[in-house]
């Protein structure tokens, strides 16, 4: 159930996920937490025990995509695509994700339509079209491309700095842009008050991203220990999107990719576990992101938590990356990602302790409701 912009809501004697042993009385007014106070001892216990957590923030989705291979989307009618995009919004919200950063493909005007017309109150920060190999044509071309992206109203610029699953593992970290082009994109974007997220599997583009001071790098499975130190120092966030590679590596999984791609994904997944370890010990800011892009994946975003835990994060670290940590990466640490007075009431109500959930499936099934603080008009 989605509880959009509650005018007035009182939660008595609930637990806050991750805060052990204490109960809280929480009041929401006009879509914000107005009071969050520890319950008075001796107060009557509720009939059903409930937990509240901040709404999940997914820093890497592709809500506009309907198929793994983009060519397949082109075979669909525009009405069918729109219905599928609307369902992606709905499924994302139902699983407790209240804020997303779209990592490419979703124009801001589509967000406005899906939020206001379809009434799906999902907060989406967009990056519009991605800059990739076809744009490595010099800085004049890039300036024109960037002007178009800024014009669309997108807050972010997405740079494909290396290959991905489509590239052979031996070449996947080769830079797509020259160092000059890359630095131009970052400086020009920042000069226009926008932010940069960089798709990179590893190699020299991670160093370029650290020295240019981008907001975040994505995937980064071939990150080295030294590079982790540089990212931490430059305060560049790392959004590893770990689970998608495990899913892609499984030939019988929901993506059912061909054996060559499965093998590349398996090698990526193997490297990821190590990259997460380097990032964790260096103190890199880790952000939760799924890279989910198809109907079989939207709505299963919480699976990312399972993989982050498998790769060595504690529950507290994994949840931080999906709530307060992610909000800070968006520059929204002051009003998103916490159950605290004055914060937007984006939250998930659970009927079991989310920090004890054995896996994402159990976690998803324990969702009672999803609260979104802002009005649709504010989100659109
Ligand atoms: Zn992506």
């Amino acid at each position: 159930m989605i509880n959009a912009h509650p005018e007035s809501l009182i939660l008595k004697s609930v637990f806050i996920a991750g805060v052990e042993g204490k109960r809280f009385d929480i009041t929401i007014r006009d879509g914000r937490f107005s009071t969050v106070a520890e319950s008075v001892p001796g107060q009557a216990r509720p009939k059903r025990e409930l937990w509240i957590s901040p709404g999940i923030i997914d820093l890497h989705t592709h809500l506009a995509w309907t198929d793994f291979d983009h060519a397949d989307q082109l075979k669909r009618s525009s009405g069918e695509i729109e219905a599928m995009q609307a369902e992606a919004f709905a499924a994302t919200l139902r699983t407790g994700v209240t804020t997303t950063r779209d990592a490419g493909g979703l124009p801001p005007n589509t967000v406005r339509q899906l939020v206001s017309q379809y009434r799906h109150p999902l907060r989406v920060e967009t990056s519009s079209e991605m800059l990739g190999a076809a744009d490595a044509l010099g800085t004049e071309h890039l300036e024109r491309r960037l002007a178009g992206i800024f014009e669309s109203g997108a807050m972010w610029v997405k740079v494909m700095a290396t290959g991905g699953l489509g590239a052979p593992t031996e070449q996947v970290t080769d830079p797509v842009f020259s160092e000059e082009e890359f630095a131009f994109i970052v400086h020009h974007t920042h000069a226009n008050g926008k932010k940069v997220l960089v798709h990179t599997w590893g190699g020299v583009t991670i160093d370029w991203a650290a020295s240019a001071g981008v907001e975040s790098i994505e995937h980064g499975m071939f990150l080295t220990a030294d590079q982790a130190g540089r990212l931490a120092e430059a305060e560049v966030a790392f959004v590893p999107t770990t689970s998608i590679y495990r899913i892609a590596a499984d030939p019988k999984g929901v993506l059912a990719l061909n054996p060559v791609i499965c093998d590349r994904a398996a090698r990526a997944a193997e490297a990821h576990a190590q990259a997460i370890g380097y990032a964790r010990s260096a103190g890199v800011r880790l952000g939760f992101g799924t890279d989910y892009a198809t109907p079989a994946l939207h709505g299963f975003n919480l699976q990312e938590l399972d993989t982050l835990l498998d790769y060595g994060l504690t529950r507290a670290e994994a949840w931080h990356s999906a709530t307060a940590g992610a909000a800070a990466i968006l520059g929204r640490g002051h009003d998103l990602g916490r159950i605290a007075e004055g914060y937007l009431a984006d939250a998930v109500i659970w009927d079991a302790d989310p920090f004890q959930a054995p896996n994402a499936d159990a976690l998803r099934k324990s969702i009672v409701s999803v609260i979104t603080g802002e009005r649709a008009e504010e989100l659109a």
Side-chain angles (χ1 to χ4, degrees):
M1 185 193 85
I2 309 297
N3 188 349
H5 186 70
E7 287 297 340
S8 174
L9 184 70
I10 298 169
L11 300 159
K12 283 259 181 212
S13 226
V14 296
F15 295 104
I16 294 179
V19 182
E20 235 165 285
K22 290 182 185 171
R23 290 167 183 277
F24 293 86
D25 295 340
I26 295 170
T27 317
I28 296 170
R29 293 258 185 273
D30 198 23
R32 284 185 187 265
F33 295 111
S34 58
T35 57
V36 178
E38 215 180 316
S39 306
V40 184
Q43 191 173 288
R45 293 278 167 95
K47 277 194 216 80
R48 178 158 72 146
E49 299 287 18
L50 295 175
W51 283 256
I52 187 171
S53 77
I56 305 293
I57 300 172
D58 185 337
L59 293 173
H60 193 124
T61 57
H62 294 283
L63 290 158
W65 294 354
T66 53
D67 299 88
F68 185 81
D69 190 343
H70 189 63
D72 292 330
Q73 186 174 60
L74 303 175
K75 296 176 199 147
R76 298 182 186 274
S77 73
S78 60
E80 188 186 3
I81 292 171
E82 188 177 301
M84 290 174 81
Q85 291 170 338
E87 178 48 30
F89 271 55
T92 301
L93 276 166
R94 276 198 302 271
T95 204
V97 174
T98 51
T99 298
T100 64
R101 182 180 59 169
D102 193 84
L106 183 64
N109 55 15
T110 306
V111 176
R112 281 191 281 278
Q113 192 189 353
L114 293 170
V115 170
S116 55
Q117 207 166 310
Y118 288 81
R119 312 302 293 176
H120 295 314
L122 182 64
R123 179 178 300 100
V124 188
E125 295 200 2
T126 52
S127 57
S128 215
E129 288 172 39
M130 308 181 289
L131 295 179
D135 297 302
L137 300 171
T139 56
E140 264 174 54
H141 166 81
L142 287 165
E143 191 170 356
R144 278 194 303 277
R145 283 282 282 139
L146 285 166
I149 294 171
F150 302 154
E151 178 99 341
S152 77
M155 276 186 207
W156 292 83
V157 169
K158 164 86 176 283
V159 186
M160 299 292 294
T162 69
L165 283 175
T169 307
E170 295 66 37
Q171 291 160 25
V172 73
T173 61
D174 292 355
V176 164
F177 293 97
S178 70
E179 188 173 4
E180 187 200 358
E181 288 169 330
F182 183 89
F184 174 80
I185 295 168
V186 179
H187 294 140
H188 192 63
T189 302
H190 285 165
N192 282 272
K194 311 273 180 175
K195 302 185 266 193
V196 184
L197 71 156
V198 178
H199 162 115
T200 168
W201 276 37
V204 71
T205 56
I206 292 187
D207 301 307
W208 296 353
S211 53
V214 307
E215 277 68 21
S216 71
I217 65 155
E218 317 290 302
H219 320 308
M221 56 289 276
F222 296 117
L223 176 80
T224 66
D226 282 355
Q227 289 177 323
R230 287 197 276 282
L231 290 180
E233 202 176 315
E235 292 180 44
V236 171
F238 176 27
V239 181
T241 73
T242 53
S243 56
I244 190 69
Y245 296 97
R246 293 219 294 204
I247 294 166
D250 178 3
K252 295 195 181 70
V254 295
L255 292 175
L257 302 170
N258 75 52
V260 174
I261 306 284
C262 289
D263 179 58
R264 289 174 188 164
R267 292 205 252 171
E270 211 182 296
H272 243 151
Q274 201 167 25
I276 297 294
Y278 294 146
R280 191 170 176 252
S281 17
V284 179
R285 307 163 68 191
L286 279 166
F288 175 101
T290 59
D291 209 2
Y292 290 177
T294 64
L297 291 168
H298 292 307
F300 294 91
N301 311 54
L302 302 176
Q303 293 179 142
E304 180 66 13
L305 289 172
D306 288 354
T307 309
L308 291 173
L309 295 175
D310 286 349
Y311 291 174
L313 295 199
T314 65
R315 296 242 172 201
E317 288 167 343
W319 276 82
H320 181 78
S321 80
T323 54
I329 292 167
L330 294 177
R332 295 291 298 265
H334 58 284
D335 70 344
L336 269 187
R338 289 179 200 273
I339 307 295
E341 289 176 9
Y343 275 61
L344 281 165
D346 281 13
V348 187
I349 308 290
W350 317 80
D351 67 7
D353 183 352
F355 275 50
Q356 300 296 327
N359 54 47
D361 203 35
L363 191 58
R364 193 163 49 85
K365 288 178 180 144
S366 68
I367 295 176
V368 175
S369 68
V370 178
I371 305 172
T372 59
E374 276 182 302
R375 287 191 182 81
E377 304 81 75
E378 292 166 312
L379 291 167

